[in-house]
């Protein structure tokens, strides 16, 4: 196969950051994806509809001419989130739901949730009004090993949450373990998950063997190969519960290659090509359209795309760095060859 056309895909988990960096990050995604769920972990965080619409305007100002791109705004869940804010979100077609960051779990998560159980009234309102909850699924207590944080969160927080609110629409984002796959598969149709390219293509050996590789460092952290294999199996299974979410997270090279390097892989410049690389390795290119273009839209209740994008089988090398307003940035898969590229 030398060419593959599929409905324009959607990115159901994307970090664009803000202000001057939008000139780089928005075109990189808008040139390929039709819709994207925009993460709210700015400083300060995007916690209400008014802030979200202002942020959305800044994003739309950087969308290239002719690109049909729809940012879907997630609101940052805090201990102060109220039913009124849930009602406002439910009434705004540009807001997709609330993002649950356990406090301290990842970049700019200090304002995140510290007591999930205390927010039961908010989750009840979300279930009633059909407002999705997007979850970064990790505990953050110091006594839990970083490689076990997802499993412990599922066992101690998510399963009890879904027992209390069985109708809640929940997306476990950027899953990294066989435990997460099993959890999603055990739940009803109102629970799904996104999977990133880095967690499909790599495991923790790619982070640690031969020296620490900061540009492969992300949170949740890469896990053992056995977990990678479980994610790979889920992605190509044809199950509508698993779909594309890059978690593309831009950081300046100086912030990644530092004594305390930032977590995140900036995959947007080659996102669809990276997924194509994985699906071809799995001899499953026929499953890419469902994973990238259909299942996420179906789960969130959006129409499937009718416009198409075309991938051409022609090897190319991902750039070593990308110039941005905050300095050079090293993209995920830098200097490596990919076999597919999007026709622009």
């Amino acid at each position: 196969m030398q060419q593959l056309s599929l409905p324009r895909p959607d990115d159901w988990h994307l970090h664009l950051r803000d202000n001057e960096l939008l000139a780089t990050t928005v075109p990189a995604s808008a040139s390929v994806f039709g819709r994207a769920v925009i993460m709210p972990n700015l400083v300060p965080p995007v916690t209400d509809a008014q802030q979200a619409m202002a942020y959305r305007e800044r994003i739309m100002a950087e969308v290239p001419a002719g690109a049909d791109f729809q940012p879907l705004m997630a609101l940052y869940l805090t201990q102060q989130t109220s039913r009124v804010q849930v009602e406002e979100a439910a009434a705004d077609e540009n807001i997709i739901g609330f993002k649950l960051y356990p406090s301290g779990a990842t970049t700019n998560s200090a304002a995140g949730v510290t007591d999930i159980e205390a927010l039961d009234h908010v989750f009840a309102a979300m279930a009633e009004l059909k407002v999705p909850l997007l979850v970064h699924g990790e505990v953050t207590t110091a006594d839990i090993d970083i490689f076990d944080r997802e499993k412990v969160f599922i066992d101690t927080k998510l399963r009890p949450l879904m027992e209390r609110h069985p109708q809640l629409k929940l997306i476990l984002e950027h899953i990294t373990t066989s435990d997460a796959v099993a959890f999603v598969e055990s739940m009803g149709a109102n629970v799904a998950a996104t999977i990133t390219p880095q967690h499909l293509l790599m495991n923790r050996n790619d982070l640690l063997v031969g020296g620490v590789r900061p540009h492969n460092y992300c949170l949740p952290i890469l896990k053992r190969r056995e977990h990678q294999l479980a994610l790979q199996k889920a992605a190509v299974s044809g199950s509508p519960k698993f779909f594309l979410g890059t978690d593309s997270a831009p950081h300046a090279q100086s912030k990644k290659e530092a004594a305390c390097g930032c977590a995140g892989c900036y995959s947007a410049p080659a996102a669809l090509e990276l997924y194509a690389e994985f699906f071809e390795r799995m001899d499953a290119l026929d499953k890419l359209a469902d994973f990238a273009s259909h299942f996420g839209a179906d789960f969130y209740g959006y129409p499937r795309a009718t416009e198409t994008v075309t991938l051409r089988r022609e090897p190319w090398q991902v750039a070593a760095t990308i110039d941005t307003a905050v300095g050079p940035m090293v993209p995920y898969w830098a200097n490596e060859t990919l076999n597919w590229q999007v026709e622009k």
Side-chain angles (χ1 to χ4, degrees):
M1 183 185 296
Q2 297 301 311
Q3 186 170 292
L4 176 65
S5 292
L6 63 156
R8 184 168 294 281
D10 303 303
D11 187 347
W12 299 101
H13 185 132
L14 178 64
H15 296 270
L16 294 174
R17 308 306 183 203
D18 203 1
N19 301 320
E20 69 270 22
L21 197 50
L22 294 177
T24 296
T25 59
V26 173
S29 292
S31 62
V32 176
F33 295 99
R35 290 168 288 219
V37 176
I38 310 302
M39 293 296 106
N41 57 330
L42 306 183
V43 180
V46 180
T47 58
D48 62 39
Q50 292 73 29
Q51 292 171 336
M53 290 309 99
Y55 183 28
R56 188 176 189 275
E57 288 181 8
R58 297 194 295 275
I59 293 168
M60 293 304 296
E62 300 296 343
V63 174
D68 185 10
F69 182 64
Q70 183 180 6
L72 301 167
M73 313 306 292
L75 301 182
Y76 196 115
L77 188 73
T78 74
Q79 292 298 145
Q80 289 71 47
T81 299
S82 67
R83 180 184 175 91
V84 170
Q85 288 172 299
V86 176
E87 292 171 347
E88 290 176 349
D92 194 323
E93 64 180 8
N94 293 312
I95 296 177
I96 198 164
F98 284 84
K99 179 61 183 276
L100 191 165
Y101 289 107
S103 181
T106 190
T107 303
N108 299 339
S109 61
V113 171
T114 56
D115 186 347
I116 288 176
E117 291 74 18
L119 289 173
D120 264 358
H121 64 292
V122 174
F123 300 133
M126 293 175 68
E128 174 192 341
L129 298 171
K130 302 186 184 337
V131 175
L133 178 66
L134 292 66
V135 178
H136 181 118
E138 293 187 286
V139 295
T140 57
T141 51
D143 60 319
I144 303 299
D145 190 288
I146 191 170
F147 293 101
D148 296 329
R149 288 181 171 187
E150 184 172 273
K151 172 179 168 47
V152 173
F153 186 89
I154 290 167
D155 292 342
T156 64
K157 301 298 180 182
L158 273 196
R159 289 193 184 277
L161 174 64
M162 294 310 297
E163 288 174 3
R164 298 193 304 272
H165 305 283
Q167 302 307 311
L168 181 64
K169 197 176 189 75
L170 184 143
I171 305 88
L172 185 54
E173 300 200 297
H174 45 51
I175 61 171
T176 67
T177 61
S178 59
D179 309 279
V181 172
F183 167 76
V184 172
E185 290 177 337
S186 73
M187 294 288 111
N190 56 313
V191 176
T194 58
I195 310 179
T196 74
Q198 63 265 27
H199 290 106
L200 291 171
L201 291 165
M202 290 182 171
N203 58 62
R204 67 186 189 179
N205 283 353
D206 298 288
L207 174 64
L208 299 171
V209 172
V212 177
R213 303 176 188 182
H215 299 289
N216 294 342
Y217 172 53
C218 58
L219 290 172
I221 200 166
L222 296 169
K223 303 298 196 298
R224 290 180 180 271
R225 177 164 170 73
E226 64 194 68
H227 294 296
Q228 179 193 13
L229 292 174
L231 299 180
Q232 292 176 339
K233 182 179 178 181
V236 302
S237 68
S239 169
K241 284 177 162 286
F242 304 100
F243 44 83
L244 185 156
T246 64
D247 193 20
S248 178
H251 293 284
Q253 183 175 6
S254 60
K255 298 292 187 181
K256 292 286 287 180
E257 299 173 9
C260 186
C262 295
C265 299
Y266 183 46
S267 58
L272 188 57
E273 294 94 333
L274 286 160
Y275 284 108
E277 183 82 14
F278 162 72
F279 276 82
E280 183 177 48
R281 290 183 185 183
M282 299 292 289
D283 193 25
L285 278 172
D286 60 316
K287 303 289 183 63
L288 179 59
D290 280 338
F291 180 85
S293 309
H294 294 156
F295 291 157
D298 294 348
F299 179 80
Y300 276 109
Y302 290 93
R304 291 185 173 187
T306 55
E307 184 186 3
T308 61
V309 298
T310 298
L311 287 157
R312 184 176 69 257
R313 200 175 199 290
E314 183 175 322
W316 64 288
Q317 189 175 61
V318 178
T321 60
I322 295 170
D323 291 330
T324 79
V326 299
M329 190 176 295
V330 178
Y332 181 63
W333 221 251
N335 289 316
E336 299 293 332
T337 297
L338 289 169
N339 289 314
W340 293 88
Q341 58 181 298
V342 175
E343 290 186 353
K344 300 292 178 70

